[in-house]
């Protein structure tokens, strides 16, 4: 038989699925794949249930239900002062994943260069490559993960079509500050290109950190495609409702890509998300502060066990350095080891890198879990590593 698409055939199953399966097989607590272990707000779920029984179950309009597009526009205004036309500047997609695929499909032609920042979310590289884009990767370095301006500037060139920017960052928990964003904006303008901005964790930020959409910087309104996800903003990751905000000219292109990917997104979920986006700011504050407390609980516990815990200013995740534990093996071996031997699953950070040399001593833990679950996970890790230390001293 003829060869199928090589890029697809050669790609491994995503690390999130691999680790979740390993966790299930070994009865491990899953601090790997990033999903909350409780339901999202019951009034939003009720709104989706009501909408199902309300007789609007046929195809939604291509760019999304008007009520959701209007709610996305209002939310842009309320949180970021962005004036958005809901008619022409919003496209609803089936999750941020489809939003990414639609934005990249709308912009990339074979041979175009795409600037990406490592560590990066796992679908970015395969999507860019499938479209014939040429990745130009720039690494950030732990523990601060600050932008390496020289390296970033060097990655831009004559053939740059876009930069794909994720802030708050998965897995690093980094939130880019205004200075860094201004630097990126300068490069985008100078090279006359676009920025696809993955901002799915826009509401999940902690402490003094502030999420600033690149789109709000001077000159960026016309060049940015801003992506949000209801899954993250409402702790309903299974719903897969995303939204893109961009100028009418860009949104039209995204809609044309979207029509060939999924065409439309379930109407009951769209109606419930519209209801959710209009929630009081107190809801979004409580979401962030609840997660912040969980970040603190998990970080302190990991520190006590012996990990060096890196700062996380946003997202569902905290990254920890495993070297002080004296484990013999890399991050992948470590994650397999703790899933099977300690009963806790995590994700190796090297999975968030392309072909270059990734760090091999960092693992990502998700803290979007119930407090009791986090405590049990910490007890398991603590008991496991105390046992390992005792065995090592006996030797
Ligand atoms: N971007 C980032 C950075 C993510 O972490 C995720 C997922 N969890 C997504 C996109 C995909 O979001 P969705 O589930 O809405 O497709
Ligand atoms: N974004 C989630 C994470 O980083 C995973 C989503 C998925 O499994 N595709 O854990």
């Amino acid at each position: 038989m003829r060869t199928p698409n090589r890029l697809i055939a050669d790609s491994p199953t995503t690390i999130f699925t691999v680790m979740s399966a390993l966790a299930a097989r070994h009865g491990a607590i899953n601090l790997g794949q990033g999903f909350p272990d409780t339901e999202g707000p019951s009034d939003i779920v009720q709104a989706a249930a009501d909408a199902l029984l309300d007789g609007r179950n046929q195809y939604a309009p291509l760019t999304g239900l008007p009520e959701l597009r209007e709610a996305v526009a209002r939310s842009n205004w309320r949180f970021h002062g962005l004036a958005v036309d809901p008619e022409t500047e919003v496209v609803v997609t089936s999750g941020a994943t489809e939003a990414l695929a639609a934005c990249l499909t709308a912009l990339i032609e074979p041979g175009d260069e795409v600037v990406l920042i490592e560590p990066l979310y796992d679908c970015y590289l395969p999507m860019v490559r499938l479209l014939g884009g040429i990745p130009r990767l720039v690494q950030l370095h732990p523990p601060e993960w600050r932008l390496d301006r020289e390296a970033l500037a060097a990655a831009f060139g004559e053939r740059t079509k876009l930069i794909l920017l994720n802030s708050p960052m998965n897995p690093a928990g980094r939130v880019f500050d205004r200075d860094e964003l201004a630097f990126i904006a300068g490069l985008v303008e100078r090279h006359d290109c676009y920025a696809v901005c993955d901002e799915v964790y826009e509401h999940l930020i902690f402490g003094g950190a502030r999420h600033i959409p690149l789109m709000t910087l001077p000159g960026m309104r016309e060049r940015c495609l801003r992506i949000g996800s209801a899954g993250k903003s409402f702790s309903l990751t299974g719903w897969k409702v995303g939204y893109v905000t961009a100028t009418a000219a860009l949104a039209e292109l995204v809609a044309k890509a979207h029509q060939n990917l999924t065409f439309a997104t379930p109407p009951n979920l769209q109606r419930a998300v519209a209801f959710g986006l209009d929630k009081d700011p107190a809801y979004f504050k409580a979401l962030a502060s609840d997660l912040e407390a969980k970040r603190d609980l998990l970080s302190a516990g990991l520190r006590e066990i012996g990990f060096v815990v890196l700062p996380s200013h946003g997202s569902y995740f905290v990254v920890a350095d495993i070297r002080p534990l004296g484990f013999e093996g890399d991050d992948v071996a470590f994650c397999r080891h703790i899933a099977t031997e300690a009963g806790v699953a995590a994700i190796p950070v090297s999975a968030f890198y392309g072909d270059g040399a990734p760090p091999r001593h960092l693992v990502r833990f998700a803290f979007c879990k119930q407090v009791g679950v986090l405590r049990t996970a910490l007890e398991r890790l603590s008991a496991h590593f105390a046992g390992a230390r005792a065995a090592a001293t006996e030797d």
Side-chain angles (χ1 to χ4, degrees):
M1 275 202 283
R2 286 177 188 273
T3 348
N5 183 299
R6 255 182 252 274
L7 286 169
I8 293 291
D10 291 347
S11 39
T13 300
T14 146
I15 188 72
F16 308 120
T17 299
V18 170
M19 292 312 299
S20 285
L22 195 66
R25 214 164 38 243
H26 292 273
I29 294 174
N30 192 354
L31 305 187
Q33 193 176 25
F35 60 90
D37 61 351
T38 47
E39 287 293 291
S42 57
D43 54 352
I44 302 182
V45 176
Q46 188 63 52
D50 292 346
L52 264 187
L53 298 171
D54 187 32
R56 281 168 64 189
N57 288 304
Q58 307 308 334
Y59 293 127
L62 167 61
T63 58
L65 289 176
E67 52 262 62
L68 179 51
R69 281 186 276 112
E70 281 157 18
V72 171
R74 277 194 295 277
S75 160
N76 269 300
W77 177 250
R78 271 203 305 159
F79 290 101
H80 306 299
L82 281 165
V84 171
D85 178 358
E87 276 287 308
T88 59
E89 295 191 311
V90 177
V91 180
V92 175
T93 57
S94 294
T97 308
E98 200 229 335
L100 283 160
C103 291
L104 297 175
T105 304
L107 295 174
I108 296 175
E109 289 188 298
D112 284 345
E113 292 187 3
V114 176
V115 178
L116 297 155
I117 296 177
E118 288 178 313
L120 40 65
Y121 184 54
D122 77 328
C123 71
Y124 293 179
L125 267 178
M127 280 184 182
V128 167
R129 288 193 170 125
L130 267 178
L131 292 163
I134 299 170
R136 297 292 309 261
L137 294 160
V138 178
Q139 281 198 4
L140 303 189
H141 299 287
E144 295 297 331
W145 309 106
R146 293 200 70 78
L147 200 62
D148 179 340
R149 295 181 186 213
E150 222 172 284
L152 189 71
F156 279 76
E158 256 174 35
R159 296 168 70 186
T160 306
K161 180 60 77 66
L162 64 100
I163 177 171
L164 176 40
L165 186 70
N166 174 216
S167 183
M169 265 183 105
N170 176 8
R174 184 78 223 289
V175 182
F176 289 114
D177 63 30
R178 188 174 285 282
D179 278 358
E180 288 168 308
L181 293 171
F183 186 78
I184 295 169
L187 289 170
V188 168
E189 218 161 20
R190 196 161 338 126
H191 293 275
D192 193 21
C193 60
Y194 302 96
V196 174
C197 302
D198 178 344
E199 301 180 15
V200 298
Y201 299 107
E202 63 186 318
H203 292 298
L204 315 187
I205 47 166
F206 316 129
R210 204 180 137 222
H211 171 62
I212 307 169
L214 184 66
M215 184 179 259
T216 60
L217 271 70
M220 288 297 102
R221 181 67 173 84
E222 292 73 31
R223 295 182 184 274
C224 290
L225 301 93
R226 189 172 107 75
I227 297 173
S229 166
K232 315 293 166 174
S233 295
F234 302 111
S235 313
L236 292 160
T237 58
W239 280 20
K240 301 296 281 187
V241 177
Y243 21 88
V244 181
T245 303
T247 57
L250 287 173
E252 192 184 343
L253 300 175
V254 173
K256 284 186 190 173
H258 166 66
Q259 76 187 359
N260 297 333
L261 290 166
T262 57
F263 178 74
T265 299
N268 70 312
L269 300 181
Q270 291 197 48
R271 291 166 71 187
V273 170
F275 167 78
L277 281 172
D278 279 338
K279 269 186 175 292
D280 195 78
Y283 160 77
F284 296 93
K285 276 212 181 90
L287 174 70
S289 57
D290 174 62
L291 277 168
E292 184 170 348
K294 290 173 172 174
R295 173 203 65 172
D296 291 344
L297 171 74
L298 186 65
S299 302
L302 290 173
R303 245 176 239 123
E304 248 172 61
I305 293 163
F307 291 88
V308 170
V309 179
L310 279 59
S312 167
H313 304 289
S315 81
Y316 282 153
F317 311 112
V318 69
V319 169
D321 184 336
I322 61 176
R323 287 175 299 188
L325 294 169
F327 177 78
E328 295 206 4
D330 64 9
D331 57 341
V332 176
F334 183 87
C335 287
R336 286 195 174 278
H337 174 81
I338 60 171
T340 55
E341 306 299 322
V344 178
I347 303 285
V349 167
S350 59
F352 298 89
Y353 286 78
D355 310 326
R360 301 258 177 214
H361 59 280
L362 300 173
V363 301
R364 187 196 83 174
F365 291 95
F367 49 75
C368 47
K369 308 289 173 181
Q370 295 169 76
V371 165
V373 172
L374 294 175
R375 284 196 209 285
T376 308
L378 288 167
E379 280 160 20
R380 287 186 182 188
L381 287 169
S382 175
H384 176 76
F385 286 106
R389 263 194 295 271
T393 357
E394 270 169 32
D395 284 350

